[in-house]
Amino acid sequence: MKLAAACWLLLLTMAQGQTVRLSWKPEYFNTLTERPWKFYEPHEVSKIVELIFREPNPDIRYPVLAACLRQVPMLHFAYAFDVALLLEGTQKPNELVALMLPIWAERDPQEAWERTQSLARLVAFEEGLLGYDSWLGRPKIEVQDLAALRASRYWIQSRALLTFPAGVRASHASEEEKARVLKAFDDMWLRRFKSQPGKARVGYTGRNEELMKMFDLPWDYLRKGDVTQTDQMGVAAFEMGLRRWVNSAYREKDGAEIVQRIHRKRWKTDHPGRLDGYEDDHFNDPIFTDFLLMWSQTSSGSVWVWQRTAEHDEPEVVQIARCVLSIQTGGESWTEGLPPKELGNYLYKLASWVPETAMKRAVQTNDAEIVESVGAAAVQGVWNWCHAGLGFINAFDLQKLPEPLREEVRKEWGITLMEKWVYVDVGEAARYGFRFLLQDTRYPKENLMRLFSGDDRYAEDSSMVDRTFCALRTWAVFKPDEMHEWIGKQEGADMRKALTWLLENPWGHDAEEAKDGEKAKE
């Protein structure tokens, strides 16, 4: 099993070349309609977990993953844990670790404790990567174990470990064993983080019983019934019921009826200023998107026929359907003839499916706002969904835009993109930001070199300078050998010297050092 796991991970990594992004495009994602472990033997863990991570809806993906981890043979649990971390698609998988760790601890506290100790060594960048945009005005970069960090594909923040004790308490271990492991955890926390453990926060839903029940219900029940919950978990269960309805007994012809069912559905809202119990359709747009993806995968011909006849009555839903169908066709013909405002909205939706088509049409509008919105939309979605969009952005050459449009687009371009990119592949984000800065006349090379050489007077906030600076410092700590090789390929001895200084001195200064630095300036 260990050899198979190593080979599978190696092949997946090799497929990516010099980036840690997955090569998955939107057409590779597949909406779940069955429990993934139904199709494979228990030892085929990588295939099961991969099916789960091809599910685009996080409110379905993660409860199903949690259910999988609760029943996978313990012999394969560690492998499932590692495959999930790889397919998550981020170098900072806080939420995923927080989801999986208590399940492991509940099933085998001692084995989970051993992994928790290993994970604690990977705690780093507690301020968040974008919190290192100043040499003097921000805390120093701190890591728990530099060698372990540099040997890893990812890092975490300490809060990701706080779910471990709850799993231990829920386990079937003896009270004496629970007390021993919990004390060891508290001691480790105090030793490493100089405090007592805080309250755990979990970003992903780890249990949704109503969702899981949907896998067992027949299509005729799903057609007549409804979910009992009206919150976010109810939304996931409702959506799964619709998927299974259209996928069961070849009911793809019922797709149009299901669209109407979604239209009629109302959900409790927590919008401020509204009375308790107020209901609206604020969850329905993402349901339409996921359902239409599933319907097109079941019977794309049915969706094609429906969208032709429903354009007048369902214009917004038809737009979503055409975005989904565009992964098969490219979708250029559907961008013609739309009014400017409607075109901008459509291209924004289209960008996360076929960013090439969306951007080509956006550039033709000569509207900088539309071009920028398409760039931002291309990287929306869960971590691994946005990888294809980041690949497009990385290859998209702003220099080829017409000059007046290019200068307008550059004013805001990349700032939002980088906020996500740094957590997917910090090295690639750093390289992209650096290339962007060198091509933009607003950022003199001399000032960049001064900043990279430790002069905090040239630091900025909320710009491509600070995004790139943060990424470079983090990359220098995390993967210095990669950065060193890249520096050697950059033009200009002075710039290489400045980048090398940053590589060798990425940590920043603590409060006392910062005060000394300010006095020295005076």
Side-chain angles (χ1 to χ4, degrees):
M1 173 56 68
K2 289 183 178 180
L3 179 60
C7 290
W8 187 84
L9 294 176
L10 178 61
L11 287 172
L12 185 60
T13 303
M14 289 173 60
Q16 313 317 314
Q18 293 185 345
T19 176
V20 298
R21 284 185 288 105
L22 301 172
S23 57
W24 295 5
K25 294 185 176 181
E27 56 265 34
Y28 190 73
F29 287 81
N30 191 35
T31 50
L32 292 172
T33 57
E34 301 283 355
R35 291 181 175 87
W37 48 94
K38 174 180 177 179
F39 304 105
Y40 298 104
E41 296 297 322
H43 66 274
E44 296 181 288
V45 175
S46 64
K47 295 179 181 178
I48 296 171
V49 175
E50 181 179 331
L51 270 184
I52 294 171
F53 276 86
R54 286 168 63 186
E55 163 61 54
N57 184 341
D59 292 322
I60 293 175
R61 176 192 291 183
Y62 296 107
V64 172
L65 174 65
C68 172
L69 293 175
R70 291 188 183 99
Q71 57 85 47
V72 69
M74 284 307 299
L75 176 65
H76 308 307
F77 194 104
Y79 181 33
F81 190 94
D82 290 334
V83 173
L85 286 172
L86 181 66
L87 297 183
E88 172 78 338
T90 173
Q91 290 179 323
K92 189 198 71 172
N94 277 352
E95 287 75 16
L96 184 60
V97 170
L99 172 72
M100 298 192 294
L101 198 56
I103 299 173
W104 197 345
E106 183 174 351
R107 299 190 65 190
D108 189 331
Q110 183 56 42
E111 189 176 287
W113 167 234
E114 292 172 4
R115 176 55 70 93
T116 299
Q117 293 176 84
S118 298
L119 289 169
R121 297 169 63 196
L122 303 180
V123 169
F125 311 118
E126 293 272 56
E127 296 296 318
L129 300 196
L130 299 181
Y132 301 117
D133 56 359
S134 168
W135 293 114
L136 300 175
R138 298 286 191 176
K140 290 181 69 173
I141 295 176
E142 295 183 354
V143 305
Q144 285 296 314
D145 186 326
L146 189 57
L149 176 70
R150 288 175 172 174
S152 175
R153 294 176 57 89
Y154 61 91
W155 69 86
I156 60 172
Q157 292 168 311
S158 59
R159 63 182 176 85
L161 305 176
L162 289 171
T163 57
F164 171 78
V168 174
R169 295 187 188 101
S171 73
H172 293 295
S174 68
E175 293 304 315
E176 292 78 10
E177 177 67 7
K178 291 180 184 180
R180 183 189 67 80
V181 174
L182 290 173
K183 183 178 186 306
F185 178 83
D186 288 344
D187 291 345
M188 178 207 72
W189 197 277
L190 183 61
R191 184 177 69 256
R192 286 195 174 277
F193 308 121
K194 307 299 186 289
S195 66
Q196 295 297 320
K199 184 178 180 180
R201 293 177 297 162
V202 183
Y204 292 156
T205 301
R207 193 183 293 273
N208 187 338
E209 298 296 344
E210 190 161 20
L211 167 66
M212 300 309 296
K213 287 178 183 177
M214 290 293 167
F215 289 113
D216 301 318
L217 298 175
W219 78 269
D220 53 343
Y221 177 88
L222 296 168
R223 185 178 191 178
K224 298 173 185 176
D226 199 356
V227 295
T228 58
Q229 295 172 285
T230 56
D231 58 6
Q232 190 77 38
M233 289 196 289
V235 175
F238 176 72
E239 182 179 321
M240 181 57 68
L242 301 182
R243 293 183 188 183
R244 285 184 50 76
W245 169 4
V246 82
N247 193 54
S248 300
Y250 306 102
R251 302 299 303 182
E252 62 270 10
K253 65 181 181 180
D254 293 344
E257 181 182 343
I258 292 173
V259 168
Q260 291 305 311
R261 169 75 73 86
I262 299 171
H263 269 305
R264 293 193 298 269
K265 188 64 181 173
R266 294 294 181 267
W267 304 97
K268 286 185 179 179
T269 182
D270 57 359
H271 293 172
R274 291 186 174 174
L275 298 175
D276 291 342
Y278 182 93
E279 295 185 349
D280 64 15
D281 61 353
H282 61 290
F283 284 136
N284 286 349
D285 277 355
I287 296 175
F288 278 126
T289 301
D290 293 338
F291 170 72
L292 289 165
L293 173 61
M294 186 269 151
W295 187 16
S296 70
Q297 291 170 337
T298 302
S299 176
S300 61
S302 298
V303 183
W304 275 97
V305 171
W306 171 80
Q307 61 88 23
R308 289 195 192 104
T309 59
E311 185 172 13
H312 177 72
D313 297 327
E314 306 277 0
E316 293 186 5
V317 182
V318 166
Q319 279 195 1
I320 298 173
R322 290 175 175 175
C323 290
V324 174
L325 292 171
S326 292
I327 62 178
Q328 303 171 15
T329 68
E332 287 192 51
S333 62
W334 285 321
T335 67
E336 302 300 328
L338 292 173
K341 183 175 181 180
E342 191 174 337
L343 176 62
N345 292 336
Y346 178 63
L347 294 179
Y348 184 83
K349 296 173 184 175
L350 185 64
S352 64
W353 298 90
V354 279
E356 299 86 354
T357 300
M359 185 59 77
K360 179 180 178 181
R361 186 68 182 89
V363 171
Q364 290 172 359
T365 69
N366 204 38
D367 187 321
E369 186 175 345
I370 292 178
V371 173
E372 291 163 10
S373 72
V374 166
V379 302
Q380 288 185 340
V382 290
W383 290 114
N384 59 357
W385 178 281
C386 79
H387 286 200
L390 286 172
F392 165 74
I393 294 296
N394 196 41
F396 179 61
D397 190 355
L398 286 172
Q399 293 297 100
K400 293 183 179 180
L401 293 177
E403 186 171 345
L405 177 63
R406 181 175 68 240
E407 296 311 310
E408 281 299 308
V409 168
R410 278 189 171 279
K411 291 179 180 179
E412 299 296 331
W413 182 267
I415 297 173
T416 302
L417 297 173
M418 291 285 280
E419 291 176 0
K420 194 160 194 176
W421 208 335
V422 293
Y423 292 114
V424 171
D425 183 342
V426 69
E428 185 179 60
R431 295 189 294 272
Y432 179 83
F434 181 78
R435 187 168 73 244
F436 178 95
L437 293 176
L438 292 188
Q439 293 174 348
D440 197 320
T441 56
R442 293 176 298 162
Y443 307 111
K445 285 185 181 181
E446 293 76 14
N447 292 355
L448 295 174
M449 288 188 288
R450 292 184 180 105
L451 175 62
F452 299 158
S453 299
D455 193 335
D456 211 44
R457 291 174 296 177
Y458 296 92
E460 294 189 13
D461 185 27
S462 299
S463 74
M464 278 295 279
V465 172
D466 92 283
R467 299 313 195 246
T468 303
F469 180 48
C470 291
L472 285 168
R473 289 181 63 189
T474 306
W475 190 24
V477 173
F478 186 40
K479 298 295 178 185
D481 292 342
E482 289 179 8
M483 186 172 176
H484 181 268
E485 181 181 355
W486 170 78
I487 290 173
K489 300 175 183 177
Q490 303 313 302
E491 295 182 1
D494 289 343
M495 180 61 78
R496 290 195 298 273
K497 180 179 179 182
L499 289 168
T500 299
W501 191 94
L502 185 151
L503 172 63
E504 295 173 351
N505 304 275
W507 306 98
H509 308 279
D510 60 27
E512 291 303 317
E513 291 171 333
K515 289 179 183 178
D516 292 343
E518 291 299 322
K519 289 179 181 179
K521 288 180 185 178
E522 296 173 1

